[in-house]
């Protein structure tokens, strides 16, 4: 009796695919440094229906293709946390407040007004752990993870995340949680993902080695009612400070940010190509000591500070496009700046870092303007 019931149920669940539902599989392939990623490969797709199932599929040690065709709302699943905090950017309603996590307020903002008590959603603090050999895919615009990010740590490898939306992670509070964390990994491809309303970083590569990473065609949407710059633009966008990381950042739409979009440090090699930046209200690139950044074929529109003053790392912005040829086998594409500040870096040491690696192609900037803002993020593949 029970067996019969389950058989019938499975037939019913499988039926839609025979009536025109497109089989969900990875669209395209990774360009640049993570080009050899395969994720869950040809594993049979699983469709989690609860937050527990999603956590289990992502964290176990099986190669998996995990398809999301619904929203997974983690809000409230781990209760709330109450902590003290501070208001380094003021107590106005448009300002973010900081949680005193690991005594951050005490150590770094001793003069900021203190906030006696902050209660926030506990699920947001730490993302869902992702194991090796996983593909996480959303169907259409349905694959939404709300209230908790993804955490790719502990030396996992070979992970594809495509066409999902990660959102609403304690956006009022700095240290309320990150969108996607990579910190100790290799071969990770994040593609056509949208991130919005995040507490801390939208995407963060921490201090451990994250190896070869491709971040492509994503929408980093910084629009928020709570900002560290109190102006509706999120300060904590992209943070790449790993150890010997090689990061390809291509075709992303990075808008309504006010800083650190990206911040590059550690000894990261970053190829930023064909991204669309803007509008923004602060700096985009922050190039810290040890960073090597090749930025070509990007469009900046309405970006007052494409790169923060006082860059200590190496930045090459390809104003001399032919200088790239010997290192990457083709000329670079010049960046395009409209209603934007100056973006100029002439350190050709950057180019020697690319010798022999798989390097993403570069399209003309006109194609970036016409296609990136309308095709980046969820729902366009
Ligand atoms: C991931 O897949 C590779 C290749 O099949 C395999 O060697 C490795 O053990 C897998 N990793 C895990 C943690 O299962």
């Amino acid at each position: 009796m029970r067996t019969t019931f389950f058989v019938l149920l499975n037939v019913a669940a499988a039926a839609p695919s025979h009536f025109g539902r497109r089989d969900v599989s990875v669209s395209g392939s990774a360009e640049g440094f993570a080009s050899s990623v395969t994720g869950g490969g040809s594993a049979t797709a699983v469709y989690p229906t609860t937050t527990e199932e999603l956590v289990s599929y992502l964290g176990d040690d099986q190669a998996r293709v995990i398809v999301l065709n619904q929203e997974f709302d983690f809000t409230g699943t781990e209760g709330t946390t109450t902590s003290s905090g501070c208001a380094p950017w003021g107590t106005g309603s448009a300002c973010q407040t900081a949680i005193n996590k690991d005594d951050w307020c005490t150590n770094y903002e001793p003069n900021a007004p203190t906030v006696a008590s902050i209660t926030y959603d506990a699920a947001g603090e730490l993302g869902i752990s992702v194991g090796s050999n996983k593909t996480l895919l959303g169907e259409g615009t349905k694959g939404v993870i709300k209230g908790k990010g993804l955490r790719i740590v502990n030396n996992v490898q070979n992970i594809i995340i495509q066409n999902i939306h990660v959102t609403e992670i304690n956006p009022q509070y700095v240290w309320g949680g990150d969108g996607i964390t990579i910190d100790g990994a290799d071969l990770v491809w994040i593609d056509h993902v949208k991130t919005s309303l995040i507490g801390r970083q939208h995407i963060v590569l921490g201090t451990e080695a994250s190896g070869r990473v491709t971040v492509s065609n994503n929408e980093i949407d910084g629009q928020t009612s709570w900002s560290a710059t109190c102006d509706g633009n999120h300060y904590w966008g992209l943070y790449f400070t790993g150890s010997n990381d090689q990061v390809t950042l291509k075709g992303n739409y990075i808008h309504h940010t006010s800083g650190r979009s990206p911040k590059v440090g550690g000894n990261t090699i970053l190829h930023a190509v064909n991204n669309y930046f803007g509008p923004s209200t602060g700096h985009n690139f922050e190039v810290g000591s040890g960073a090597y950044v090749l930025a070509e074929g990007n469009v900046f529109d309405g970006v007052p500070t494409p790169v923060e003053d006082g860059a200590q790392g190496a930045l090459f912005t390809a104003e001399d496009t032919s200088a790239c040829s010997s290192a990457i086998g083709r000329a670079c594409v010049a960046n395009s700046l409209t209603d934007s500040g100056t973006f100029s870096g002439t350190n050709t040491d950057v180019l020697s870092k690319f010798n022999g690696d798989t390097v993403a192609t570069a399209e003309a900037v006109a194609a970036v303007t016409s296609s990136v803002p309308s095709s980046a993020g969820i729902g366009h593949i």
Side-chain angles (χ1 to χ4, degrees):
M1 196 52 193
R2 178 173 287 186
T3 310
T4 308
F5 175 76
F6 276 111
V7 168
L8 287 173
L9 195 71
N10 284 338
V11 169
S17 65
H18 299 294
F19 292 95
R21 188 175 72 183
R22 189 171 62 92
D23 276 350
V24 176
S25 57
V26 172
S27 174
S29 55
E31 275 198 76
F33 294 127
S35 59
S36 58
V37 71
T38 56
S42 56
T44 304
V46 291
Y47 291 74
T49 58
T50 62
T51 55
E52 291 87 349
E53 240 180 338
L54 175 59
V55 167
S56 163
Y57 286 146
L58 281 171
D60 69 14
D61 59 5
Q62 308 274 310
R64 287 195 185 280
V65 174
I66 304 160
V67 181
L68 307 187
N69 60 8
Q70 63 171 77
E71 178 179 283
F72 292 83
D73 186 356
F74 284 83
T75 313
T77 58
E78 297 173 30
T80 57
T81 304
T82 299
S83 154
S84 62
C86 58
W89 311 287
T91 53
S93 63
C95 301
Q96 267 194 315
T97 306
I99 296 163
N100 193 21
K101 180 183 149 76
D102 302 330
D103 289 327
W104 185 80
C105 291
T106 319
N107 293 336
Y108 297 103
E109 298 288 349
N111 301 319
T114 54
V115 176
S117 173
I118 296 174
T119 298
Y120 58 98
D121 198 77
E125 289 178 71
L126 218 52
I128 309 165
S129 290
V130 181
S132 294
N133 303 328
K134 306 282 185 184
T135 298
L136 178 64
L137 282 180
E139 211 181 83
T141 55
K142 295 181 199 161
V144 179
I145 303 179
K146 181 177 165 186
K148 198 172 186 69
L150 296 166
R151 194 168 155 77
I152 300 168
V153 303
N154 294 326
N155 301 314
V156 293
Q157 53 184 341
N158 194 26
I159 293 162
I160 298 172
I161 300 171
Q162 188 174 63
N163 197 42
I164 65 166
H165 184 187
V166 177
T167 190
E168 288 187 55
I169 303 177
N170 292 312
Q172 299 96 317
Y173 305 118
V174 175
W175 305 116
D178 299 310
I180 298 177
T181 302
I182 309 176
D183 195 22
D186 190 25
L187 282 179
V188 180
W189 182 29
I190 301 169
D191 184 68
H192 279 100
V193 169
K194 177 172 179 173
T195 53
S196 66
L197 294 172
I198 307 293
R200 182 66 176 180
Q201 299 298 147
H202 280 234
I203 298 178
V204 52
L205 275 57
T207 51
E208 300 286 315
S210 292
R212 297 162 287 175
V213 179
T214 296
V215 177
S216 55
N217 308 307
N218 303 292
E219 180 184 2
I220 308 301
D221 179 356
Q223 295 176 87
T224 177
S225 300
W226 308 275
S227 155
T229 42
C230 310
D231 64 354
N233 291 250
H234 193 68
Y235 185 83
W236 326 96
L238 301 165
Y239 193 96
F240 302 143
T241 63
S243 172
N244 292 311
D245 294 358
Q246 294 177 294
V247 183
T248 298
L249 183 72
K250 179 169 182 183
N252 301 281
Y253 177 31
I254 299 160
H255 63 101
H256 293 94
T257 58
S258 60
R260 296 192 169 179
S261 298
K263 171 173 173 152
V264 194
N267 40 26
T268 297
I269 299 160
L270 175 68
H271 183 205
V273 52
N274 288 164
N275 300 287
Y276 188 102
F277 294 98
S280 64
T281 55
H283 64 268
N284 275 92
F285 284 83
E286 181 177 337
V287 183
S289 171
Y292 289 88
V293 179
L294 168 59
E296 56 154 341
N298 299 288
V299 172
F300 295 85
D301 195 350
V303 174
T305 314
V307 57
E308 194 184 43
D309 279 351
Q312 293 182 341
L315 172 66
F316 187 63
T317 55
E319 285 152 296
D320 174 5
T321 55
S322 64
C324 297
S325 299
S326 59
I328 66 170
R330 60 168 173 79
C332 279
V333 171
N335 299 293
S336 158
L337 294 111
T338 305
D339 296 329
S340 295
T342 305
F343 189 55
S344 183
T346 56
N347 191 328
T348 52
D349 290 352
V350 171
L351 297 170
S352 64
K353 299 286 174 184
F354 286 80
N355 270 327
D357 292 311
T358 306
V359 176
T361 58
E363 290 178 60
V365 287
V368 174
T369 300
S370 64
S371 75
V372 169
S374 58
S375 66
I378 189 173
H380 302 293
I381 54 173

